[in-house]
Amino acid sequence: MIQTACPLDCFDGCSVVCDSSHPKRLVGGRVAPSTNGTLCAHLYRHLAESERIEKARIDGQEVSMGEALDAVAKAIADTPWLLWRGSGNVGVMQAVTNLLAKRAGGVLTHGTLCDGAGDAGIVASRGVNRLLPPEQIAKSEVVVIWGRNPDVTNSHILPYIEGKEIIVIDPRKTKIAKRAKLHLQIRPRGDFYLATLLSRFLMMEDAHDKEWLNEYASEYEEFYDFTRTFRIKAILEHIELSLNDIGDFLLMLQNRKVVFLVGAGVQRHESGDATLRAIDAFAALLGLFGREGCGVSYLANSQLGFDNPFSVKTKTEPIATTPFKNYKSVIVQGGNPAESMPCSLRVREELKEVENLIYFGLYENQTSQLAKIVIPAKNFLEKEDIRLSYGHQYMQKMNRVYESDIGVSEHDFSQEILRRIGKEPLKDEKEYIDFILSQAKRVDEKLLSPGFEEIPYRDGFGEDGGEEFEFIDDFYDDFENIKALRRFRKKVKKSRDEYWLLTPKTNKTINTQFNSLEQVVYLPKGALFKDGESVLVKSIWGELLMKVKVDDGLREDCVVIFIGTKDVNILTPPISSTEGDMACYGDVKVELLRVGEV
Ligand SMILES: Nc1nc2c(c(=O)[nH]1)N[C@H]1C(S)=C(S)[C@@H](COP(=O)(O)OP(=O)(O)OC[C@H]3O[C@@H](n4cnc5c(=O)[nH]c(N)nc54)[C@H](O)[C@@H]3O)O[C@H]1N2
Ligand SMILES: Nc1nc2c(c(=O)[nH]1)N[C@H]1C(S)=C(S)[C@@H](COP(=O)(O)OP(=O)(O)OC[C@H]3O[C@@H](n4cnc5c(=O)[nH]c(N)nc54)[C@H](O)[C@@H]3O)O[C@H]1N2
Ligand code: SF4
Ligand SMILES: [Mo]
């Protein structure tokens, strides 16, 4: 049996074992124990359901791989070019193309479409974004699920939180919210305020952990003054929660081992960093860092502690608002910007203007359809790689399961282009892989990420411990009037009701992969549209004709279109967060119009 791991962008980072004579018969492995020897349907879909690109193409005509690589080499020689990499496969070797960019005059991207605002907030408070290991989550008594949807996005954590007291903070009644002891159905973007109020009340009740704070986070009194700059009544009205909600919440946490499982859902906003800072501050007041069975789990920095052979210094563009039109040649690797980036109409217009759009991926998607040159990639069973995880500490070697004639690996793609343009070649792939593996901590024959700490922040904060926790001391947000939207708001006359648009993950897709969703918008009960009706969903950025389904579990001021629904990002804004350069998918409101209505 051959060991590998699931390459998909998912908290769980499952171990996979496979027999080369039946390469598609995948079974859950045990290298990462938290993944429990089971796999989910996505992995099978990844291999079976999507339309695989098998042959290279130029201008729609099939060509040999050699001809296509010649065309790529020509397209990037002596001209400004950009490499836009997505997260279709999260293996470490994906980033080898950074070396191609560095050596061949390419520009890369910075920031993320995913978790960067929250990460920036965590780094500002704690110095580094360390993993809270599943084994610590298992030792908790109370689990606060804050803008995360584990039944869908992180199913392997469920056995670790079974039987515990659950609190959920989510505008939607998710599956876990239905079985929670307390569900605060908060208004979107309200989390900073909720966390700040919780902190204030905790200190008013003198229930904060002064002993721990004096040693590790001594500026808590200044933070108390900061929390007092927000008016209690106005904030409660804004987030539509009551004093009882706050009281119930605090009561459930007192003298218990508490973990917060925070998702990407809370930070897809211009000020998403502040949300994580406020949640972290509340956790610090409770003394949850560095203590067994306690802590704040977010999408951890899986690269922490590594000397990464692929980190390079080059010019970069922000990934959420990449100005494609400034480049004559663009390589898209492992992603689908025409569908996954915010403000699709802008993105698609600009991609069309790129003279040489090169798509390097596994499947046909909206971006491959626009590309002049299409290069098929190898799938994870056909190449060597390493899997790190933002949800557990295990590092996994992804071994090649079988040889295939289809596609080219990211390493070989880069090598072939460098050779064609006469630039310094890469090392053998094995050298990079061995170098990365050599940095792992080895415990009981398992490889652990070098940044792993059994109980994170036990010795304080910062890269090497010893530093203090930094409380947030500045925040600007005037509720509705999101700074970056105000610039555009003038363009539309505000006449009708507006709803927050939520675009959460579903169990039928991984981001834009698999194309398996209907064109459906979920509306709250009071929205005056019936199941099956057509509705025009309109934002400042574009509009979509959708079929209505009514969802009883939605707040009155929210509608939902799942990410992976075709064209959903036509509606979302072309802005980056203030910190972390992250796409602000959550900073958008929509109107609902009857078809024919203007
Ligand atoms: N509205 C809205 N938009 C969102 C989100 C949201 O919540 N709401 N979520 C955002 C988030 S969190 C993320 S992470 C992004 C993801 O967005 P992207 O990074 O664009 O990723 P995907 O859309 O999943 O694109 C995956 C593509 O990668 C290619 N691929 C898969 N494996 C390989 C491989 O081994 N090699 C190569 N070369 N290619 C491969 C496949 O062809 C596939 O079509 O989407 C973001 N978009
Ligand atoms: N099945 C499946 N699994 C996936 C993915 C997938 O596409 N499909 N994508 C993977 C990727 S790339 C990522 S980044 C992770 C993301 O994993 P999660 O963060 O768990 O996923 P999301 O659906 O983005 O957001 C979680 C919840 O946040 C809520 N939410 C939205 N806005 C707010 C808000 O303002 N406040 C609060 N409190 N809650 C809010 C949503 O209603 C949603 O239930 O999942 C990964 N796992
Ligand atoms: S749960 Fe996540 S990591 Fe595990 S098989 Fe499914 S998609 Fe892959
Ligand atoms: Mo993501």
Side-chain angles (χ1 to χ4, degrees):
M1 291 298 252
I2 300 171
Q3 295 282 348
T4 182
C6 175
L8 295 174
D9 187 349
C10 168
F11 281 96
D12 293 354
C14 291
S15 304
V16 176
V17 284
C18 191
D19 174 348
S20 55
S21 54
H22 300 284
K24 304 227 157 138
R25 208 182 287 163
L26 307 175
V27 185
R30 300 272 169 192
V31 176
S34 58
T35 69
N36 199 24
T38 56
L39 302 171
C40 83
H42 295 304
L43 188 54
Y44 303 101
R45 288 196 191 118
H46 179 71
L47 291 173
E49 266 181 35
S50 302
E51 195 186 339
R52 176 95 188 258
I53 301 173
E54 299 197 353
K55 294 271 192 269
R57 296 199 297 267
I58 301 177
D59 289 326
Q61 301 295 316
E62 271 185 21
V63 296
S64 69
M65 182 63 91
E67 286 170 302
L69 293 170
D70 289 345
V72 174
K74 198 163 153 227
I76 65 166
D78 312 317
T79 186
W81 71 278
L82 174 88
L83 171 66
W84 193 99
R85 185 168 51 240
S87 63
N89 175 326
V90 296
V92 175
M93 286 308 295
Q94 287 289 313
V96 69
T97 48
N98 286 359
L99 300 180
L100 169 65
K102 177 72 185 167
R103 293 173 195 185
V107 171
L108 294 169
T109 60
H110 64 267
T112 77
L113 301 182
C114 179
D115 60 343
D119 181 76
I122 287 176
V123 169
S125 296
R126 310 184 207 161
V128 284
N129 177 4
R130 283 190 197 284
L131 173 87
L132 182 66
E135 293 78 4
Q136 295 306 326
I137 295 172
K139 289 181 189 158
S140 66
E141 295 163 318
V142 181
V143 180
V144 181
I145 305 209
W146 204 321
R148 181 142 138 192
N149 189 9
D151 289 279
V152 168
T153 62
N154 187 197
S155 58
H156 288 84
I157 204 70
L158 294 172
Y160 288 75
I161 61 176
E162 206 177 290
K164 303 190 187 298
E165 260 177 43
I166 305 276
I167 301 175
V168 172
I169 304 166
D170 197 305
R172 299 188 303 139
K173 195 171 272 174
T174 53
K175 198 166 166 195
I176 197 140
K178 288 181 190 150
R179 50 181 201 271
K181 188 155 178 201
L182 179 68
H183 174 204
L184 300 185
Q185 201 160 4
I186 193 172
R187 192 171 210 208
R189 295 180 108 262
D191 307 277
F192 167 85
Y193 300 104
L194 173 62
T196 304
L197 269 193
L198 285 163
S199 290
R200 179 167 175 184
F201 281 103
L202 189 75
M203 287 189 276
M204 274 160 63
E205 288 174 14
D206 202 26
H208 48 307
D209 184 344
K210 286 185 278 303
E211 197 182 320
W212 182 87
L213 288 164
N214 284 330
E215 189 164 354
Y216 294 106
S218 61
E219 306 223 316
Y220 61 93
E221 276 166 10
E222 287 83 344
F223 178 61
Y224 181 56
D225 292 338
F226 172 72
T227 67
R228 291 180 54 214
T229 60
F230 299 90
R231 287 184 306 135
I232 295 174
K233 191 158 168 279
I235 296 273
L236 284 172
E237 274 168 19
H238 173 64
I239 60 178
E240 293 182 1
L241 297 176
S242 68
L243 272 180
N244 281 347
D245 293 327
I246 303 277
D248 292 347
F249 194 153
L250 288 177
L251 210 60
M252 282 178 68
L253 306 187
Q254 232 129 78
N255 303 318
R256 310 291 297 280
K257 287 186 175 169
V258 182
V259 293
F260 294 174
L261 306 189
V262 185
V266 296
Q267 51 91 61
R268 301 191 195 284
H269 308 295
E270 200 183 31
S271 54
D273 64 309
T275 304
L276 263 295
R277 292 204 74 179
I279 293 173
D280 266 5
F282 178 49
L285 294 174
L286 288 162
L288 299 184
F289 289 107
R291 185 164 287 169
E292 184 164 87
C294 299
V296 181
S297 151
Y298 180 62
L299 293 84
N301 176 2
S302 61
Q303 304 265 347
L304 194 68
F306 279 102
D307 178 1
N308 184 341
F310 309 134
S311 67
V312 295
K313 282 211 165 65
T314 57
K315 187 182 163 204
T316 56
E317 299 282 6
I319 194 165
T321 55
T322 317
F324 292 108
K325 65 173 186 312
N326 296 351
Y327 293 88
K328 226 166 130 185
S329 298
V330 172
I331 301 180
V332 170
Q333 174 201 341
N336 186 11
E339 189 67 29
S340 64
M341 274 177 72
C343 203
S344 308
L345 294 181
R346 178 199 77 85
V347 172
R348 291 172 193 174
E349 272 316 303
E350 294 207 5
L351 287 174
K352 280 183 202 152
E353 281 181 43
V354 173
E355 198 175 307
N356 302 301
L357 179 63
I358 298 152
Y359 173 81
F360 176 29
L362 277 181
Y363 311 125
E364 300 294 356
N365 60 28
Q366 292 77 355
T367 310
S368 73
Q369 299 307 314
L370 298 174
K372 181 183 171 78
I373 305 174
V374 173
I375 307 279
K378 288 209 179 295
N379 73 28
F380 76 108
L381 298 171
E382 301 163 346
K383 61 191 171 196
E384 298 278 309
D385 212 328
I386 295 171
R387 175 68 153 91
L388 306 174
S389 166
Y390 51 84
H392 64 63
Q393 63 270 36
Y394 298 94
M395 204 171 150
Q396 303 184 74
K397 172 79 202 302
M398 299 168 76
N399 295 297
R400 184 185 292 108
V401 175
Y402 62 91
E403 298 288 343
S404 160
D405 295 336
I406 301 174
V408 61
S409 73
E410 287 65 25
H411 176 274
D412 293 354
F413 171 79
S414 309
Q415 189 71 303
E416 287 296 319
I417 303 296
L418 287 168
R419 188 171 65 75
R420 280 169 168 75
I421 59 177
K423 300 283 180 193
E424 184 194 340
L426 302 177
K427 295 180 189 163
D428 276 356
E429 186 164 50
K430 189 168 179 313
E431 275 191 56
Y432 295 117
I433 289 185
D434 288 348
F435 175 66
I436 295 164
L437 288 174
S438 72
Q439 300 177 51
K441 288 186 182 170
R442 280 161 206 266
V443 177
D444 299 336
E445 315 234 321
K446 292 206 187 295
L447 303 181
L448 304 188
S449 150
F452 168 68
E453 288 181 358
E454 196 176 329
I455 300 183
Y457 311 105
R458 185 167 241 181
D459 303 320
F461 298 89
E463 212 154 312
D464 305 314
E467 288 172 35
E468 287 213 9
F469 181 91
E470 300 268 343
F471 286 99
I472 182 169
D473 57 6
D474 184 26
F475 179 68
Y476 174 77
D477 176 299
D478 60 357
F479 293 165
E480 297 294 276
N481 230 346
I482 302 160
K483 207 170 22 174
L485 292 191
R486 215 180 313 145
R487 280 185 273 137
F488 300 98
R489 195 171 272 278
K490 290 188 211 99
K491 283 200 221 160
V492 284
K493 56 178 191 318
K494 185 173 177 300
S495 53
R496 299 178 176 84
D497 284 347
E498 287 186 328
Y499 298 81
W500 288 106
L501 171 67
L502 306 179
T503 57
K505 315 289 185 195
T506 113
N507 56 12
K508 294 200 178 63
T509 65
I510 289 275
N511 299 320
T512 78
Q513 300 194 48
F514 319 136
N515 291 324
S516 51
L517 298 178
E518 297 173 286
Q519 292 302 105
V520 165
V521 58
Y522 294 83
L523 305 187
K525 252 201 327 229
L528 300 179
F529 286 83
K530 291 206 259 330
D531 264 341
E533 278 191 290
S534 292
V535 61
L536 198 64
V537 184
K538 184 172 176 182
S539 78
I540 304 172
W541 321 104
E543 57 190 45
L544 282 182
L545 187 62
M546 305 293 277
K547 190 158 271 180
V548 169
K549 277 196 183 162
V550 175
D551 176 354
D552 288 349
L554 266 183
R555 281 176 57 92
E556 273 176 18
D557 57 355
C558 294
V559 305
V560 166
I561 304 177
F562 290 112
I563 167 71
T565 308
K566 192 170 157 295
D567 292 337
V568 59
N569 278 317
I570 283 182
L571 301 171
T572 54
I575 54 175
S576 283
S577 59
T578 316
E579 300 295 331
D581 294 293
M582 143 99 202
C584 301
Y585 300 102
D587 280 344
V588 60
K589 285 192 152 189
V590 293
E591 294 179 88
L592 303 175
L593 305 178
R594 283 201 191 277
V595 183
E597 201 176 351
V598 277

